[in-house]
Amino acid sequence: GEVPLSNQALAERHGLSPSLSRTILLSYHAARAAYDTIPTTLRSTARVGFISATSVGGMDKSEQFFEEYLCGDASGDLNQIRHHDCGRSTDFVARELGIKDFVTTISTACSSSANAIMLGARMIKAGLLDIVVAGGADPLTRFTFNGFNTLMIVDPTQCKPLDAARDGLNLGEGAAYLVLMSEQAATALPTPPRCCLSGYANTNDAFHQTALSEQGEGPYLAMQQALHKGGLQPTDIDYINMHGTGTRNNDLAEGTAIRRLFGDAHPKLSSTKSFTGHTLAASGAIEAYLSVLAVTEGYVFPSFSFDQPVETLNLRPETEFYQAPAMRHVLSN
């Protein structure tokens, strides 16, 4: 799941220094594109916030430093360590974009950028901000890969989410940001907003540090509460972009939760992580954006390498890409 652009290429594209962390470069690349969609008049008159998520921050630069430092304690450029903190990329990008009204970082592992979107929505609803650029970024690092490998949940081949023979996840990297607006701010747009964030929820079943309960209590409550907040019934959902990591625990638990909430008449569903890999803190925002495309363009995304459904669930994800223009409500886990 690598982004096919080197740090040098990303930096040159935006006139930045290639010595910056990959998180900063990925974050700026995506946040700049999102911010530039806001009309200039709105940028200058509205209260704008930037809520960015990452799980490893500038870990890539820390790895470079320690490689050199291990050769001798007088070796290594300590300037690389200044990128380490998770807030470093947020502050850098906000400063470059000129966003000053509210800036904060969220680091809650794989839910990070979903939480960034939720916090942005809540702040707009509370009347504290008019516009929020919300999302996240994470790079591939050896720290990340070794961490997941230690958990023994990395599939050495392309991952197979929702498949009975699934053997773990693939890691990816990336960045995505969405522009959230109050209804009043949106009236100043030259075209109508692309879609509405109608509901959201975050739950924690406190079952285990790195695993979900087999009953999928956390995912079940999160989906249930998101639907309730949006004033929707399970039958209103046209497509679910699942968390779908490809690990034995996640897919069974999440699938069980979907069965509990939707019964036999579950909506179309798939895991786009089978194409992107698990992009960690960026995944919530990347998949939220794919969900926007599902609503606005009618895109139904497939799962890759699906053969046999997960034991006891009989959930069959979509396996072909197609358009279903009538889609109105999409759930992103």
Side-chain angles (χ1 to χ4, degrees), residues 49-294:
F50 183 56
I51 304 177
S52 186
T54 182
S55 65
V56 299
M59 182 63 73
D60 58 324
K61 289 298 177 184
S62 300
E63 288 177 351
Q64 289 177 27
F65 167 76
F66 277 108
E67 263 193 80
E68 297 166 6
Y69 177 77
L70 289 172
C71 296
D73 58 14
S75 303
D77 180 4
L78 271 172
N79 279 322
Q80 293 180 318
I81 298 297
R82 66 196 173 109
H83 294 292
H84 184 87
D85 182 77
C86 285
R88 178 76 180 187
S89 57
T90 307
D91 292 342
F92 179 92
V93 174
R95 187 169 61 250
E96 289 294 312
L97 297 180
I99 297 176
K100 299 176 182 176
D101 293 313
F102 182 78
V103 178
T104 196
T105 307
I106 289 182
S107 186
T108 55
C110 309
S111 63
S112 300
S113 56
N115 282 332
I117 293 167
M118 283 187 254
L119 178 58
R122 290 172 61 198
M123 293 193 72
I124 290 172
K125 190 174 181 180
L128 299 171
L129 293 170
D130 305 305
I131 300 171
V132 177
V133 179
D138 251 340
L140 281 168
T141 68
R142 280 170 289 181
F143 174 84
T144 314
F145 181 80
N146 290 334
F148 279 90
N149 208 33
T150 300
L151 293 171
M152 296 184 288
I153 55 172
V154 176
D155 192 333
T157 63
Q158 187 155 359
C159 64
K160 301 174 283 294
L162 312 179
D163 193 276
R166 65 198 184 283
D167 198 28
L169 54 78
N170 298 152
L171 287 169
E173 64 177 357
Y177 292 87
L178 289 80
V179 176
L180 310 178
M181 289 187 176
S182 67
E183 289 184 28
Q184 184 176 357
T187 59
L189 293 173
T191 57
R194 301 190 71 180
C195 67
C196 173
L197 174 59
S198 50
Y200 42 87
N202 178 353
T203 58
N204 183 352
D205 61 7
F207 174 74
H208 183 273
Q209 210 171 15
T210 59
L212 296 165
S213 67
E214 289 188 1
Q215 294 75 33
E217 193 67 13
Y220 172 77
L221 291 171
M223 290 186 288
Q224 183 188 58
Q225 292 174 23
L227 290 177
H228 178 73
K229 192 169 194 67
L232 300 171
Q233 298 298 317
T235 51
D236 292 322
I237 301 299
D238 299 307
Y239 167 66
I240 305 173
N241 188 320
M242 294 178 66
H243 189 54
T245 61
T247 64
R248 301 201 72 77
N249 171 258
N250 177 88
D251 293 7
L252 178 61
E254 186 182 5
T256 299
I258 287 171
R259 276 292 186 200
R260 286 175 63 187
L261 187 60
F262 293 93
D264 291 333
H266 65 79
K268 303 176 187 73
L269 50 83
S270 65
S271 170
T272 48
K273 285 185 179 70
S274 56
F275 290 90
T276 64
H278 193 341
T279 55
L280 305 182
S283 64
I286 289 173
E287 289 158 28
Y289 182 69
L290 291 173
S291 297
V292 171
L293 291 177

Side-chain angles (χ1 to χ4, degrees), residues 31-45:
R32 174 94 260 172
Y35 185 70
D36 285 349
T37 66
I38 305 170
T40 306
T41 51
L42 264 181
R43 290 187 215 167
S44 58
T45 58

